[in-house]
């Protein structure tokens, strides 16, 4: 027998409780006291490295490129952005914190993403918390956003790509959007062009599109991360400092002043895109390496052809290229591909784990850390590559012999000691995910402020 259902006194009491709650709610609203609930979503999004470069826009506002591009998504366990987005009627304005420091959300790119997401927001009901949000209410509710990069920001490692992709992805989950990742990529693109490629794992193509409104300029996945999972990626962080010329201003200057960029966009890149798609599909490493290296070199040639010229690479970058090219030539077929984005940091892609361990030996021989460096902090990410290379400590680094392609032994004083800040060992990785573990949230669930 259900005592509550058949007891008129109980029913009367529960009705009075409901009435009392409703009255209190109305009183709070009349007195201007906001409700206290907070809804949060935390997501993690990878960064990506282009192997056929995006450089130059046909529309600065919508961020529409002058050519297609192709990228490899990096393992988010090693390189990613984590973002927590929260909404509450108690928030009085939109606020954002990046790596613990509050930043302005007034920039046009942030506003474009927020506007596009809010316009697509849907009804949401959280039965557990007893919260209902109508789609029209999202326009009135304010957001708190906290974002953290586990790698250097604005140093040429595509931090803006991961950051804006994560912002759009997490907001889409919070506001219950129906769009798929390809459609979301067209929104992320308006925050940072390369961000559209971080909405997928594996190998991704950003289609430049032809429409004036940018509706067909979006990302598609060519293959997932398991398609070519023997690849290993080693990044030499030559400088973690913010670059002197931002990608945005550099691109604008190139489009305005470089004759080479127009030839590249119209004649060179369309052919390379087709060839790179074939190389990825067939797991053809020699073709993949040749295309990645030559496209990176041409991108930096465009930067030099810009007036005034843009220098993203430095002497250490050039020495890394020389090290890889000598080895590839000595072997008669490419062992490693290299590519540089808008910065001096080298991204090297080895054909397999064995090759990656041999590459790491060469890199540590040519670019050893300072003698007092902790090797554990000099090689980060997948440290098992270090074990494969037979290196346990600094004594093993100092005992490395010159590789066969180096004819003359390099004296210790001639080695580029300390020129590389550290190395990141990683691999192709998956796309964005929601983190359901609330302990990984960057905002306090009670206050909506950074933890």
């Amino acid at each position: 027998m259900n005592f509550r259902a058949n007891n008129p006194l109980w029913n009367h009491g529960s009705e009075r409780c409901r009435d009392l709650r409703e009255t209190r709610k109305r009183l709070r609203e009349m007195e201007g006291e906001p409700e206290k609930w907070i809804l949060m979503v935390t997501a993690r999004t990878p960064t990506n490295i282009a192997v056929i470069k995006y450089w130059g826009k046909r529309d600065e506002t919508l961020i529409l490129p002058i050519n297609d591009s192709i990228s490899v998504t990096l393992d988010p366990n090693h390189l990613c952005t984590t973002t927590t987005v929260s909404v509450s009627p108690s928030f009085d304005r939109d606020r954002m914190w990046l790596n613990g420091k509050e930043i302005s959300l007034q920039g046009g790119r942030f506003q474009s993403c927020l506007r596009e997401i809010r316009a697509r927001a849907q009804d949401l009901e959280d039965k557990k918390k007893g919260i209902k949000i109508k789609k029209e209410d999202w326009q009135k509710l304010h957001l708190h956003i906290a974002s953290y990069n586990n790698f250097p920001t604005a140093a040429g490692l595509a931090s803006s790509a991961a950051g804006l992709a994560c912002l759009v992805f997490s907001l889409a989950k919070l506001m219950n959007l129906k769009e798929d990742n390809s459609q979301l990529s067209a929104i992320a693109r308006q925050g940072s062009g390369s961000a559209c490629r971080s909405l997928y794992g594996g190998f991704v193509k950003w289609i430049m599109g032809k429409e004036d409104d940018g509706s067909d300029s979006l990302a598609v996945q060519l293959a997932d991360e398991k398609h070519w999972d023997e690849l290993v990626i080693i990044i030499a962080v030559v400088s973690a400092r913010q670059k002197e010329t931002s990608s945005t201003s550099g691109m604008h200057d190139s489009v305005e002043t470089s004759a080479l960029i127009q030839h590249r966009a119209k004649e060179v890149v369309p052919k390379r895109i087709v060839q790179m798609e074939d190389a990825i599909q067939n797991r053809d490493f020699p073709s993949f390496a040749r295309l990645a290296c030559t496209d990176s070199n041409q991108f930096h040639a465009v930067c030099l052809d810009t007036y005034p010229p843009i220098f993203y690479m430095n002497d250490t970058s050039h020495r890394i290229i020389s090290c890889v090219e000598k080895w590839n030539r000595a072997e008669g077929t490419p062992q490693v591909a290299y590519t540089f984005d808008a910065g001096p940091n080298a991204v090297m892609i080895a054909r397999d784990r064995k090759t990656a361990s041999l590459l790491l030996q060469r890199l540590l021989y040519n670019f050893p850390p300072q003698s007092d460096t902790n090797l554990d902090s000099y090689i980060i990410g997948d440290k098992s590559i270090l074990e494969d290379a037979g290196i346990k400590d600094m004594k093993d680094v100092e005992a490395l012999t010159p590789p066969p392609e180096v004819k003359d032994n390099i004296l210790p004083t001639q080695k580029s000691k300390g020129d590389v800040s550290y190395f990141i060992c990683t691999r192709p990785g998956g796309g964005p995910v929601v983190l359901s573990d609330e302990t990984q949230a960057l905002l306090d669930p009670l206050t909506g402020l950074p933890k």
Side-chain angles (χ1 to χ4, degrees), residues 299-350:
F299 154 53
H300 288 278
V302 167
C303 292
L304 287 175
D305 189 48
T306 301
Y307 188 79
I310 306 165
F311 305 98
Y312 284 125
M313 293 197 290
N314 60 21
D315 288 346
T316 306
S317 312
H318 297 145
R319 285 199 296 275
I320 290 170
I321 289 175
S322 177
C323 172
V324 172
E325 288 287 5
K326 277 180 187 171
W327 185 23
N328 284 345
R329 274 201 306 276
E331 294 290 341
T333 187
Q335 303 300 301
V336 174
Y338 58 80
T339 186
F340 294 76
D341 275 353
N345 303 318
V347 178
M348 292 157 280
I349 306 172

Side-chain angles (χ1 to χ4, degrees), residues 10 12 29 33-34 70 76 108 123 131 133 135 175 202 214 221 240 257 294 322:
W10 181 273
H12 178 64
E29 290 169 353
E33 182 186 335
I70 293 175
D123 294 349
I131 298 167
I133 303 175
K135 60 182 177 183
M175 298 189 189
Q221 188 180 57
T257 65
T294 53
S322 177

Side-chain angles (χ1 to χ4, degrees), residues 40-342:
M40 292 200 312
V41 168
T42 301
R44 187 184 71 176
T45 301
T47 187
N48 70 81
I49 295 295
V51 288
I52 301 293
K53 303 295 185 188
Y54 146 58
W55 195 251
K57 306 182 190 83
R58 63 183 173 94
D59 187 305
E60 295 269 351
T61 305
L62 294 174
I63 310 189
L64 302 177
I66 59 172
N67 60 264
D68 293 347
S69 56
I70 293 175
S71 63
V72 182
T73 301
L74 304 183
D75 188 340
N77 289 315
H78 306 135
L79 290 146
C80 73
T81 295
T82 301
T83 299
T84 298
V85 291
S86 64
V87 64
S88 173
S90 65
F91 298 164
D92 59 0
R93 66 190 188 280
D94 291 341
R95 299 177 72 184
M96 182 170 181
W97 294 264
L98 175 60
N99 294 337
K101 183 180 177 183
E102 186 161 10
I103 62 169
S104 172
L105 272 170
Q106 294 310 305
R109 295 187 172 190
F110 282 127
Q111 289 301 314
S112 292
C113 291
L114 290 172
R115 185 179 60 251
E116 294 291 329
I117 292 282
R118 278 178 166 134
R120 292 165 173 78
Q122 300 295 316
D123 294 349
L124 177 72
E125 182 176 6
D126 187 325
K127 290 181 179 176
K128 194 175 173 183
K129 293 189 176 182
I131 298 167
K132 280 186 182 180
I133 303 175
K134 293 285 186 188
K135 60 182 177 183
E136 57 270 17
D137 292 339
W138 288 107
Q139 299 288 349
K140 307 168 207 163
L141 290 165
H142 292 292
L143 300 163
H144 282 188
I145 302 159
S147 197
Y148 174 76
N149 296 326
N150 70 348
F151 59 97
T153 301
L157 285 174
S159 58
S160 64
L164 269 298
C166 205
L167 176 69
V168 167
F169 180 77
S170 54
L171 285 174
K173 297 301 179 186
L174 178 71
M175 298 189 189
N176 200 27
L177 266 68
K178 303 302 181 197
E179 279 75 7
D180 63 21
N181 280 15
S182 189
Q183 292 166 314
L184 290 179
S185 76
I187 300 173
R189 185 204 74 229
Q190 296 176 54
S192 169
S194 301
C196 72
R197 297 191 307 248
S198 276
L199 267 298
Y200 286 105
F203 301 84
V204 186
K205 178 182 179 181
W206 175 11
I207 301 167
M208 63 179 282
K210 295 178 181 176
E211 300 297 331
D212 290 340
D213 65 357
S215 56
D216 58 346
S217 182
L218 37 77
V220 293
Q221 188 180 57
L222 298 175
D224 67 20
E225 65 276 14
K226 293 171 187 166
H227 169 73
W228 203 353
D229 60 359
E230 57 262 46
L231 297 179
V232 176
I233 299 162
I234 298 178
I235 302 169
V237 180
V238 174
S239 170
R241 290 179 303 175
Q242 193 159 335
K243 55 202 173 197
E244 289 179 20
T245 307
S246 73
S247 301
T248 302
S249 62
M251 249 181 250
H252 178 267
D253 291 348
S254 291
V255 170
E256 291 293 314
T257 65
S258 170
L260 179 56
I261 197 172
Q262 301 304 332
H263 170 70
R264 167 178 163 75
K266 289 174 185 171
E267 304 295 332
V268 180
V269 174
K271 293 171 188 169
R272 283 184 181 161
I273 287 285
V274 173
Q275 292 166 346
M276 183 59 89
E277 286 190 54
D278 287 345
I280 290 167
Q281 199 61 45
N282 298 320
R283 296 190 283 274
D284 174 0
F285 189 80
S287 298
F288 175 88
R290 179 181 55 80
L291 289 162
C293 295
T294 53
D295 201 72
S296 175
N297 293 337
Q298 189 183 65
F299 154 53
H300 288 278
V302 167
C303 292
L304 287 175
D305 189 48
T306 301
Y307 188 79
I310 306 165
F311 305 98
Y312 284 125
M313 293 197 290
N314 60 21
D315 288 346
T316 306
S317 312
H318 297 145
R319 285 199 296 275
I320 290 170
I321 289 175
S322 177
C323 172
V324 172
E325 288 287 5
K326 277 180 187 171
W327 185 23
N328 284 345
R329 274 201 306 276
E331 294 290 341
T333 187
Q335 303 300 301
V336 174
Y338 58 80
T339 186
F340 294 76
D341 275 353

